[in-house]
Amino acid sequence: MSEAYFPVESGALGPEENFLSLDDILMSQEKLPVRVEKPMPHLGAFFLERGAGADSDQALPQGTKLEFPLWLAKGLFDNKWRILSVELPKMYQEGWRTVFSADANVVDLHKMGPHFYGFGSQLLHFNHPENTSISQSLLQTFIGRFRRIMDSSQNSYNEDTSALVARLDETERGLFQIGQKGLNDFQSWEKGQASQITASSLVQNYKKRKFTNMED
């Protein structure tokens, strides 16, 4: 029986999200603090409180601070026209970057943001003065946590890992699952339960493409 949904790889760690990826769709809904640099006509009714007298023709005034979902902030951001400016969420500011550099393993990344690495990578789109520091912090945080994640995934056969996984962001959870699958496959092979070795899907797809090209 075919699967109802085939997981699509996230593109959040690259320049653009992959909108066929459920993870990226969810990440693009996360809120980002912004400041309006030029009045935005007719948007007051959507973003200002009704009690403030907002109507359908009211503009968002310059200087307004509010939160936009990531997809909307990216769509409105423009270096030339300066429609809005983006403020860094707390977990990417210097104070938290210092914590990550001291010991990234003590931080509950999922609590801070389930898409910590992907969302942080997308912040680089806004050309913030601290972009270099943010990117270095993301990389060093990942490096600092990677070994512990993979070690844990390889040394927790048939154990309850819920407490560990609960502290990981979605990218790290994916890595942990890959490590667990590798461990389980090895254990099955060692016990003689994996009697048949099959080619990987990458090899099979390559052979199919090669055969198609030969026919053409």
Side-chain angles (χ1 to χ4, degrees):
M1 183 175 65
S2 61
E3 295 183 33
Y5 170 71
F6 293 93
V8 177
E9 184 177 355
S10 169
L13 296 179
E16 294 294 338
E17 309 98 310
N18 182 348
F19 284 104
L20 294 178
S21 165
L22 289 181
D23 283 337
D24 284 6
I25 293 173
L26 293 173
M27 182 202 67
S28 70
Q29 299 296 324
E30 292 193 26
K31 297 297 181 66
L32 191 61
V34 301
R35 182 181 187 276
V36 177
E37 301 296 345
K38 291 185 178 180
M40 297 184 182
H42 308 297
L43 291 182
F46 295 99
F47 295 102
L48 297 178
E49 296 182 4
R50 292 290 181 181
D55 55 51
S56 59
D57 295 326
Q58 184 175 356
L60 271 178
Q62 181 178 358
T64 302
K65 291 187 176 182
L66 65 167
E67 291 185 332
F68 280 172
L70 174 64
W71 64 267
L72 181 58
K74 288 184 67 175
L76 292 175
F77 181 81
D78 187 286
N79 270 327
K80 180 179 180 181
W81 298 106
R82 293 283 295 173
I83 299 173
L84 57 81
S85 58
V86 172
E87 299 179 7
L88 292 180
K90 289 183 179 180
M91 60 274 204
Y92 301 103
Q93 294 178 8
E94 184 178 1
W96 274 106
R97 295 201 302 265
T98 302
V99 173
F100 291 134
S101 64
D103 187 358
N105 287 297
V106 303
V107 181
D108 185 342
L109 277 194
H110 199 269
K111 184 177 181 180
M112 300 189 68
H115 304 93
F116 177 78
Y117 297 108
F119 193 77
S121 297
Q122 292 303 307
L123 289 179
L124 305 180
H125 172 86
F126 299 105
N127 297 325
H128 196 277
E130 297 182 39
N131 269 7
T132 300
S133 298
I134 294 171
S135 60
Q136 290 175 348
S137 177
L138 290 171
L139 178 60
Q140 293 305 315
T141 299
F142 180 80
I143 292 173
R145 292 167 62 95
F146 176 78
R147 181 172 181 176
R148 183 180 180 185
I149 292 169
M150 298 312 293
D151 283 350
S152 298
S153 72
Q154 296 294 298
N155 293 284
S156 54
Y157 185 65
N158 286 336
E159 295 181 11
D160 183 9
T161 60
S162 57
L164 170 65
V165 173
R167 298 172 60 84
L168 307 181
D169 105 309
E170 293 300 323
T171 300
E172 295 175 335
R173 289 183 177 187
L175 291 172
F176 186 86
Q177 291 171 0
I178 291 172
Q180 285 268 280
K181 184 179 184 303
L183 174 63
N184 292 333
D185 289 348
F186 175 75
Q187 294 291 341
S188 296
W189 173 82
E190 195 172 43
K191 295 176 181 178
Q193 297 173 351
S195 57
Q196 184 177 3
I197 298 177
T198 58
S200 72
S201 59
L202 291 176
V203 174
Q204 292 174 350
N205 291 335
Y206 173 76
K207 288 182 177 179
K208 289 179 181 178
R209 290 197 301 270
K210 187 175 181 181
F211 182 73
T212 302
N213 293 335
M214 289 177 64
E215 287 185 331
D216 296 340

